[in-house]
């Protein structure tokens, strides 16, 4: 999923963003360009929002041309369903020419739009939502779209890197996770696992997953995937209040909402600014924002959203490969993976895999 070059670059980016907080650069920028959506998901209520909002092509140009966005910044196009944006083709055409390091996220309910977009505008990666088999998909997403997802995978898997996006939620199960991993193995595509949580933009409510035998229920085939097992297994420790990690991702990973708001993160309803009122660079790197970012990055441990917490897991486990935990805490501050603050990442993962 990530190369050694990716790890090295993100390490240098982390050092820059920590030591030069008003000159930060973004590693990831997710643009929720529209609230238009033809799905009716139980775990996301964006499809009910009225009136429908869109960021314009000009808005996106101004964002991407900001100093904090570099050629290595991965830009994600999302919604809603991005391909329902009235300027979707124009936006992708411009990014293809000016910032080709962009990705497309889709529910694939309009498979012909997805296939045509990938073939004409060449996003670097395609992320496809799949939360279970046919019946689970229909129950959780309110539409009978399973065959559309499979059509897109079968058509494009040899033309663009494809990742299946699975969200473990109160409306599906570990059996569904196991099923989606098998689909990914069948078609030789990547799978990325998230866990349902609170996001103000999607009007979701906080609802933790059932606690019974959580670790034991994780399917064995998750070990056939990359970068997923520790995120899912550590959720159990976070939910119990044992895991405590600073949220460093908000210093280099950001989202923009369809109304122009730039939140601190996906979980908290803390808005740094709005692109219609000030420049994106001022919003991300202005003095007031830097104070807010530093305060929350040092103290916040309130979510387990994969966009943020996978970054923190990877960061800290890599630190532990290079330095003793006690030394890390000298410059990072206290942190813990379990109720025992002396346990390292490797020790915990090794213990639960026995």
């Amino acid at each position: 999923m990530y190369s050694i070059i990716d790890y090295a670059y993100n390490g240098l980016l982390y050092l820059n963003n920590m030591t030069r907080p008003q000159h930060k650069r973004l590693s990831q920028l997710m643009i929720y360009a529209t609230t238009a959506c033809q799905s009716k998901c139980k775990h996301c209520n964006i499809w009910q929002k009225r009136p429908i909002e869109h960021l314009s092509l000009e808005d996106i140009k101004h964002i991407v041309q900001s100093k904090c966005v570099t050629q290595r910044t991965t830009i994600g196009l999302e919604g809603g369903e991005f391909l329902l944006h009235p300027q979707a083709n124009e936006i992708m055409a411009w990014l293809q020419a000016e910032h080709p390091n962009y990705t497309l996220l889709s529910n694939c309910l309009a498979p012909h739009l997805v296939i045509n977009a990938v073939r004409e505008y060449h996003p670097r990666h395609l992320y496809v939502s799949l939360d279970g088999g046919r019946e689970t998909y229909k129950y959780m997403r309110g539409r009978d779209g399973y065959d559309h997802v499979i059509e897109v995978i079968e058509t494009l898997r040899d033309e663009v890197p494809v990742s299946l996006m699975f969200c473990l939620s109160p409306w599906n199960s570990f059996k569904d996770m196991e099923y989606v991993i098998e689909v990914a193995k069948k078609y030789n595509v990547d799978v990325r696992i998230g866990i349902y949580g609170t996001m103000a933009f999607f009007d979701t409510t906080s609802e933790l997953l059932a606690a019974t035998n959580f670790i034991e229920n994780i399917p064995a085939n998750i070990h056939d995937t990359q970068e997923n097992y520790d995120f899912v297994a550590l959720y159990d420790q976070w939910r119990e209040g044992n895991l405590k990690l600073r949220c460093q991702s908000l210093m280099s990973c950001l989202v923009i909402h369809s109304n122009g708001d730039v939140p601190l993160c996906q979980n908290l309803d803390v808005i740094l600014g709005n692109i219609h009122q000030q420049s994106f660079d001022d919003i991300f790197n202005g003095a007031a924002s830097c104070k807010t970012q530093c305060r929350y990055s040092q103290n916040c441990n309130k979510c387990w959203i994969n966009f943020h917490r996978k970054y923190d897991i990877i960061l800290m486990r890599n630190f532990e490969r290079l330095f003793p935990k006690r030394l890390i805490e000298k410059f990072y501050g206290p942190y813990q993976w379990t109720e025992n603050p002396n346990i390292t990442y490797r020790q915990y993962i090794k213990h639960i895999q026995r």
Side-chain angles (χ1 to χ4, degrees):
M1 188 180 295
Y2 299 105
S3 67
I4 294 176
I5 293 175
D6 292 327
Y7 285 128
Y9 173 76
N10 284 327
L12 292 173
L13 188 67
Y14 170 78
L15 291 175
N16 174 78
N17 291 356
M18 291 298 105
T19 58
R20 304 170 71 232
Q22 290 192 262
H23 300 275
K24 297 187 299 298
R25 300 291 182 262
L26 286 165
S27 62
Q28 293 188 69
L29 175 62
M30 297 302 300
I31 301 178
Y32 293 106
T34 179
T35 57
C37 189
Q38 74 278 58
S39 192
K40 295 183 178 181
C41 299
K42 293 182 181 295
H43 62 302
C44 170
N45 293 315
I46 198 171
W47 54 276
Q48 298 185 64
K49 286 192 173 187
R50 294 295 183 274
I52 292 174
E53 300 169 341
H54 310 292
L55 286 173
S56 70
L57 171 59
E58 290 304 311
D59 292 332
I60 291 173
K61 285 182 179 179
H62 289 311
I63 293 165
V64 175
Q65 291 168 343
S66 302
K67 291 180 181 178
C68 61
V69 178
T70 73
Q71 288 300 308
R72 289 192 66 95
T73 301
T74 300
I75 293 176
L77 298 178
E78 195 169 354
E81 173 62 16
F82 172 77
L83 293 175
L84 298 181
H85 192 296
Q87 293 182 294
N89 290 343
E90 292 93 329
I91 292 169
M92 289 186 291
W94 185 83
L95 285 171
Q96 182 185 9
E98 303 297 331
H99 193 97
N101 187 24
Y102 81 96
T103 65
L104 177 64
L105 292 84
S106 178
N107 58 30
C108 295
L109 290 179
H112 62 288
L113 290 181
V114 181
I115 294 167
N116 291 341
V118 167
R119 288 177 170 171
E120 187 165 356
Y121 303 112
H122 305 289
R124 289 281 173 87
H125 207 115
L126 174 65
Y127 297 92
V128 176
S129 300
L130 185 62
D131 298 308
R134 187 185 308 279
E135 292 305 314
T136 298
Y137 188 104
K138 187 175 181 179
Y139 171 69
M140 186 168 170
R141 292 188 167 263
R143 295 289 303 274
D144 188 9
Y146 178 84
D147 288 336
H148 296 320
V149 172
I150 298 302
E151 178 186 353
V152 169
I153 297 170
E154 290 180 339
T155 304
L156 294 176
R157 61 182 173 142
D158 295 325
E159 300 181 33
V160 65
V162 176
S163 290
L164 301 185
M165 303 293 286
F166 175 88
C167 179
L168 183 65
S169 77
W171 300 281
N172 61 2
S173 67
F174 282 110
K175 285 293 183 183
D176 294 304
M177 181 189 295
E178 182 178 34
Y179 178 87
V180 171
I181 292 171
E182 288 303 313
V183 172
K185 289 168 65 176
K186 175 181 177 180
Y187 292 108
N188 194 30
V189 299
D190 175 47
V191 60
R192 303 197 181 185
I193 296 172
I195 296 177
Y196 175 79
T198 303
M199 294 188 193
F201 181 63
F202 298 113
D203 292 332
T204 59
T205 57
S206 181
E207 187 170 349
L208 298 182
L209 301 183
T212 307
N213 299 323
F214 190 88
I215 298 295
E216 291 82 355
N217 284 328
I218 299 174
N221 64 356
I222 197 173
H223 296 291
D224 299 330
T225 74
Q226 294 182 316
E227 309 286 2
N228 286 311
Y229 178 70
D230 56 1
F231 175 74
V232 176
L234 287 166
Y235 172 82
D236 195 42
Q237 291 294 325
W238 172 80
R239 180 191 53 196
E240 295 299 319
N242 299 327
L243 183 147
K244 296 180 175 65
L245 290 181
R246 292 182 177 187
C247 188
Q248 302 294 293
S249 64
L250 57 81
M251 305 294 279
S252 62
C253 304
L254 204 62
V255 302
I256 300 179
H257 292 168
S258 51
N259 65 354
D261 280 347
V262 181
L264 173 71
C265 71
Q266 289 193 4
N267 180 61
L268 299 174
D269 196 16
V270 177
I271 304 301
L272 298 177
N274 187 289
I275 64 164
H276 301 306
Q277 299 168 1
Q278 58 190 127
S279 75
F280 187 50
D281 280 318
D282 286 342
I283 293 170
F284 184 54
N285 281 329
S289 291
C290 288
K291 282 186 178 181
T292 301
Q293 292 159 342
C294 288
R295 183 170 73 253
Y296 279 95
S297 70
Q298 292 173 10
N299 300 301
C300 191
N301 186 49
K302 292 183 178 179
C303 83
W304 203 247
I305 296 172
N306 60 348
F307 181 74
H308 295 291
R309 302 325 299 265
K310 280 190 177 182
Y311 177 100
D312 298 313
I313 293 170
I314 292 170
L315 178 72
M316 298 312 297
R317 79 181 188 203
N318 285 337
F319 276 156
E320 287 188 358
R321 287 175 179 171
L322 300 173
F323 310 106
K325 188 174 185 296
R326 288 184 180 179
L327 180 58
I328 296 170
E329 291 183 323
K330 294 289 186 183
F331 63 87
Y332 176 86
Y335 71 96
Q336 60 192 73
W337 301 102
T338 72
E339 62 182 350
N340 182 346
N342 298 316
I343 295 293
T344 65
Y345 166 90
R346 184 175 181 181
Q347 288 169 333
Y348 175 67
I349 296 299
K350 186 176 181 180
H351 170 73
I352 61 176
Q353 287 180 328
R354 287 176 182 170

